[in-house]
Amino acid sequence: MYYDLSGDRITVTNDAARLAWNDTLEALLAHAAATPEHLARTLKADPHFALAHAAKGLMLLSLARSELVGPARECLATAEAAIAVRPVTRRERMVVEALALWLSDAPRQAAHRLESILDDHRFDVLALKLSHGLRFMLGDQNEMLASLRRVAPGFEETHPLTGYVNGCYAFALEEHGFYAEAETAGRRAVALSPRDAWGRHAVAHVLEMTGRTEEGVAWLSDDRNWAHANNLRFHIVWHLALFHLEQGKISEVLRLYDEDIRREQTDDYRDIANGASLLARLEYAGADVGTRWDELAARAEGRIHDGRLVFADLHYALSLLGAGHTDSAETIARSLVQDSKFHPSVERRDAARNGAMAAYGLIAFREGDYDEASRLLGAARKGLVVIGGSHAQRDLFEQAYTESLIRSGSHDLASEILRNRLAQRGGSNLYAAKRLAMLRNRSAGRAAALVVAATPLAIAH
């Protein structure tokens, strides 16, 4: 009988499979690039290990690529065939069931099934991490935090994966705005598990949302802390670039973009989201990004019909619009409208409804119709959490909305949003401060012009 790092029984047949599976668990939590390699070692040591096949299928679906749905179905079939040959634990069977639910267009039920495992197996880091990722993709901030509040405090420092669990807890807390608590958990995470790239990333979020730019640069100053990571390492550098953008260091942001963020020009939606949202922010800041949109658009062209994650769809559309590929962006927007009405997944319908408005808002913005852009982006604003991603990532759409208000002349509403933004970040936010100063100067200029125009009339009377 074999047990994994969580202390839970696993139905492997040899110690080599157990050791490889433990490496897989740690790598998954560390967002390590070597995770697929460790998983492959596990299945080579025990080809009929149903839990590993199910975990592989769930990982494939998390990549939100249409061509990986078929391989994920194969993982499910292989896991079910393995169960027919070798009895498994109830916990392992529930992971297989979660995969089946997600493949049946019921991702929220899949997350719930994974979290139900924690009722009896509160140290099951596999169920915890997979449900955490799925809730993140669904924008289920309440459930993401609820499950971690339930189990994270029970992890003592003697547990080998406590640091990683605290990293997940830190991110869930941050997304709810519990910044002090999140920072404490995140710093504890990396102290206990230095390889916890997700926990380090969670603290970066806190520093971003509280306007602590200098601390953010210092926190992300040593890339050796995440050199082991998969493409999360590009996203961490994206956060570093945001801190530098807040400092007005455009040339440094462009250097990070070229040398790190898009050094590997993949079409992974997370990598494209990093690139597209940063280029858009740079343009809002008045920077010349050259031909960088062209590379992103070329990758996005191949993902137009994915339809797996609205967050991804919107960043593909943003990339296409940046390079002037309006027709392709409109194809995505039309697909979102269709999905909002007819998609079998209720989660996809809800996300597509808000995503369609945002997509058409981005199109209107790029075409210079700022009245329409502000109307559509404003209508989507409150519901965009359901597309997934973090507050920091979705802030791109908030900035696009604010820019459209300014350019359409809705200065009072824009000023209100900018003042709130500045207050939320402790009074330190270059984006808001610069625009508020610009709007005040415009108002002062208009007031002076009105005084001059009114003077002759006053004398005449």
Side-chain angles (χ1 to χ4, degrees), residues 279-286 293 318 321-322 326 330 357-378 396-408 431 435:
L279 290 186
R281 285 171 167 88
L282 281 163
E283 288 192 335
Y284 298 158
W293 282 115
L318 182 64
L321 289 168
T326 306
E330 288 178 345
M357 290 187 289
Y360 278 113
L362 292 173
I363 292 168
F365 186 93
R366 183 57 66 169
E367 292 180 340
D369 187 350
Y370 300 120
D371 285 327
E372 182 69 354
S374 62
R375 184 183 72 81
L376 290 167
L377 290 167
L396 178 280
F397 304 104
E398 183 76 355
Q399 290 191 28
Y401 175 51
T402 307
E403 291 293 323
S404 66
L405 288 172
I406 293 171
R407 299 182 194 194
S408 66
Y431 174 86
R435 280 151 184 79

Side-chain angles (χ1 to χ4, degrees), residues 331-353:
T331 297
I332 292 176
R334 287 193 297 271
S335 295
L336 289 170
V337 171
Q338 288 295 107
D339 284 354
S340 73
K341 298 175 180 177
F342 305 115
H343 199 278
S345 167
V346 64
E347 293 87 357
R348 175 74 184 181
R349 291 198 302 273
D350 289 345
R353 189 173 302 114

Side-chain angles (χ1 to χ4, degrees), residues 410-451:
S410 300
H411 294 168
D412 289 344
L413 180 53
S415 295
E416 180 185 345
I417 291 170
L418 290 165
R419 284 193 295 268
N420 288 337
R421 179 188 186 88
L422 199 58
Q424 289 166 0
R425 286 164 171 78
S428 177
N429 183 249
L430 182 63
Y431 174 86
K434 286 182 70 173
R435 280 151 184 79
L436 280 169
M438 177 189 71
L439 291 172
R440 281 194 296 268
N441 289 338
R442 285 185 179 179
S443 296
R446 283 199 301 274
L450 287 170
V451 168

